[in-house]
Amino acid sequence: METELKHRNVTKTNGSAVPATPAPAPEKEAVAYQPKPEPEAHPAGEIKHGRSVQIFRGVTLGIYFGLSCLAVVLTQLIGAPLYFFDRNLFYSYMAVTKQSFALLSMSVTQWWGPTVMRISGDASVAGQIHQTEDGRVEFSFPERIVLIANHQIYTDWLYLWWAGYANNPQMHGYIYIILKESLKYIPVLGQGMLFYGFIFMSRKMAVDQPRLAYRLQRLKEEHIAPDGSKYLNPMWLLLFPEGTTVTKNGRAKSVKWSQKMGYRDPEHVLLPRSTGTLFCLRELKGTVEYVYDCTVAYEGIPRGHYGEDFFGLSSTYLQGRPPKSVNFYWRRFRVDDIPLEDDSEFDAWLRERWYEKDALIEDYLNTGRFPRATDDIGTNGYVETEVRTKYAGEFTRIYVVLGAVYLIWRILMRIWARFAG
């Protein structure tokens, strides 16, 4: 790594600079993170659209998003009977509908909330991030990984889902997200997420462990190809070990937890909870070779403030004030090198990764960049691109199944009318 993290002591992990982890008194850490007054300037500048334009943007966004969600759910219902005849075909069909929702979320961002994506990583991901001739990014991550990330704002999952779309082979139909249980009760969207095989957690391990074990068992189930060989379905399992976004309330809880446990509390991230992540890795060991870690930072968030204070749905999609840039810094860890046998050792391992994230974000705040990629990708070691589909009309794939069903229905009705008449 060519950028030196001068603001604190560092060590080396996988060829990259990472922070050492001295343990100053938690009391001092708690005092340092009291919320600061709201700054006058928004990180994305002034509101770009007047009220009438915002209303128009809101109406058009609502119509497009609502109708598209309905189309996706109807498409799921059409294919639901496959579950009782061929499970493999059912899950493949649902992967296609998951791709449709990914296209929906990307087109919404492309049209209503465009932003620059700036991507780099350490030596462990060298050669896996490429700039295409038309300016897009292409990842070459494996088909089966566990993906962990810090959680800044609620749209984190959208940008990470886009990374699956930008991967070769594309993985936006095979991403699985662990979510809080209340989300499954959202009308239409909740039903869609259930079909997608997303994992809903009550945050009570006694309740969650059986359902989590069941879902992970399905994700590591072997299948038999026509030639008799065995294979595993693709899978990107997305985990947010912090459990929630970084907010004023979340920071207070993290400080309290660090004081209780005697840990150093990080400034820019929350202390991760290791139980769920450890359970997933133990269950999937032998079927997943790597954990990919993404550190996420949003441009312009002042020190001591939180992304949710600036980049809500209204700001991002209606006012014309999305983040100026969303920044990814990628690292990779081999599962066999992670201490999964001992709970306390894994907790320390995961906590150390979050201290490293804290140092990376500190460096980002000081320089406006994550460290440049070690394989000198893009310009000056970064790929800069945007969330967009590969071609202009790709979003129409959302409606292909419904269009085909409607066409078949019209043909059958004409045939029936001819014979009946």
Side-chain angles (χ1 to χ4, degrees):
M1 180 179 294
E2 301 181 23
T3 302
E4 183 179 0
L5 306 181
K6 296 181 179 180
H7 55 279
R8 60 181 73 186
N9 294 329
V10 299
T11 57
K12 290 280 187 176
T13 297
N14 288 343
S16 62
V18 296
T21 55
E27 291 78 7
K28 293 182 180 180
E29 294 289 334
V31 172
Y33 307 131
Q34 296 302 316
K36 299 181 179 181
E38 181 71 19
E40 295 182 3
H42 190 283
E46 299 296 325
I47 295 175
K48 296 178 178 59
H49 305 297
R51 184 157 184 81
S52 59
V53 175
Q54 288 185 45
I55 292 173
F56 175 77
R57 287 168 65 88
V59 170
T60 54
L61 172 58
I63 291 173
Y64 173 65
F65 187 79
L67 291 178
S68 298
C69 283
L70 181 61
V72 171
V73 171
L74 290 175
T75 302
Q76 291 175 325
L77 291 175
I78 290 171
L82 292 173
Y83 182 85
F84 302 101
F85 299 99
D86 189 324
R87 297 288 174 88
N88 288 338
L89 184 58
F90 169 80
Y91 290 119
S92 296
Y93 180 91
M94 289 304 160
V96 173
T97 69
K98 195 182 295 188
Q99 291 175 348
S100 294
F101 189 83
L103 290 173
L104 169 59
S105 64
M106 284 184 289
S107 58
V108 164
T109 300
Q110 180 179 352
W111 299 335
W112 281 274
T115 185
V116 171
M117 301 296 300
R118 187 176 295 116
I119 303 158
S120 61
D122 73 0
S124 65
V125 294
Q128 300 180 56
I129 304 172
H130 316 278
Q131 187 99 47
T132 63
E133 292 184 359
D134 61 354
R136 294 178 297 104
V137 67
E138 185 175 271
F139 301 98
S140 299
F141 296 168
E143 290 188 355
R144 289 182 62 85
I145 63 173
V146 173
L147 170 57
I148 59 175
N150 59 307
H151 207 1
Q152 296 286 296
I153 56 179
Y154 286 113
T155 51
D156 290 337
W157 63 267
L158 184 153
Y159 298 112
L160 290 166
W161 202 338
W162 162 80
Y165 170 82
N167 197 66
N168 183 22
Q170 290 186 318
M171 294 300 301
H172 57 304
Y174 295 95
I175 193 166
Y176 299 88
I177 308 174
I178 294 182
L179 305 165
K180 59 183 180 181
E181 190 170 31
S182 59
L183 294 177
K184 72 180 182 182
Y185 300 109
I186 299 176
V188 183
L189 288 177
Q191 174 186 306
M193 290 186 288
L194 286 170
F195 274 120
Y196 289 157
F198 288 176
I199 303 170
F200 296 93
M201 305 285 281
S202 67
R203 298 182 180 177
K204 297 178 181 178
M205 203 56 187
V207 176
D208 294 333
Q209 184 167 323
R211 68 176 69 166
L212 184 57
Y214 172 77
R215 289 302 311 156
L216 294 175
Q217 184 63 39
R218 299 305 304 265
L219 293 177
K220 65 179 183 180
E221 184 177 342
E222 287 188 334
H223 303 281
I224 301 177
D227 63 0
S229 61
K230 295 181 179 180
Y231 69 95
L232 297 169
N233 282 334
M235 177 205 74
W236 277 21
L237 179 62
L238 173 57
L239 307 175
F240 293 110
E242 290 162 300
T244 186
T245 56
V246 179
T247 61
K248 177 181 177 181
N249 184 50
R251 291 296 307 120
K253 290 181 178 179
S254 185
V255 170
K256 185 176 180 180
W257 178 253
S258 68
Q259 291 175 335
K260 177 181 178 180
M261 302 302 295
Y263 300 147
R264 176 171 63 87
D265 189 59
E267 181 177 355
H268 310 296
V269 295
L270 306 180
L271 280 175
R273 302 302 179 94
S274 62
T275 304
T277 305
L278 176 59
F279 184 82
C280 290
L281 289 176
R282 281 176 172 172
E283 288 291 309
L284 293 172
K285 187 174 182 181
T287 67
V288 173
E289 187 175 1
Y290 293 106
V291 170
Y292 277 72
D293 169 69
C294 186
T295 300
V296 184
Y298 292 82
E299 181 176 342
I301 299 176
R303 185 183 298 275
H305 294 272
Y306 314 106
E308 70 166 12
D309 297 334
F310 305 102
F311 301 121
L313 294 179
S314 176
S315 172
T316 299
Y317 296 109
L318 304 184
Q319 297 176 0
R321 299 197 292 181
K324 288 184 178 179
S325 70
V326 180
N327 298 262
F328 283 173
Y329 186 83
W330 291 93
R331 301 181 295 172
R332 182 179 76 170
F333 301 93
R334 190 179 295 275
V335 172
D336 288 343
D337 295 335
I338 301 174
L340 302 180
E341 294 74 20
D342 184 271
D343 292 17
S344 60
E345 287 185 12
F346 177 79
D347 184 70
W349 180 88
L350 186 64
R351 192 166 59 254
E352 184 69 17
R353 303 292 78 77
W354 251 247
Y355 288 143
E356 293 165 5
K357 285 177 177 290
D358 198 52
L360 286 164
I361 296 176
E362 174 67 25
D363 194 60
Y364 175 83
L365 289 175
N366 291 333
T367 66
R369 291 287 191 276
F370 280 135
R372 72 177 64 185
T374 54
D375 58 344
D376 199 30
I377 62 172
T379 303
N380 298 322
Y382 302 91
V383 166
E384 290 196 2
T385 185
E386 59 187 355
V387 175
R388 61 183 173 94
T389 56
K390 290 185 177 180
Y391 55 90
E394 191 173 7
F395 75 95
T396 58
R397 291 174 53 188
I398 298 170
Y399 317 105
V400 165
V401 172
L402 288 185
V405 170
Y406 175 74
L407 180 61
I408 293 172
W409 179 79
R410 287 295 303 272
I411 292 173
L412 291 176
M413 289 299 98
R414 290 191 176 187
I415 293 174
W416 171 260
R418 179 172 298 180
F419 280 99

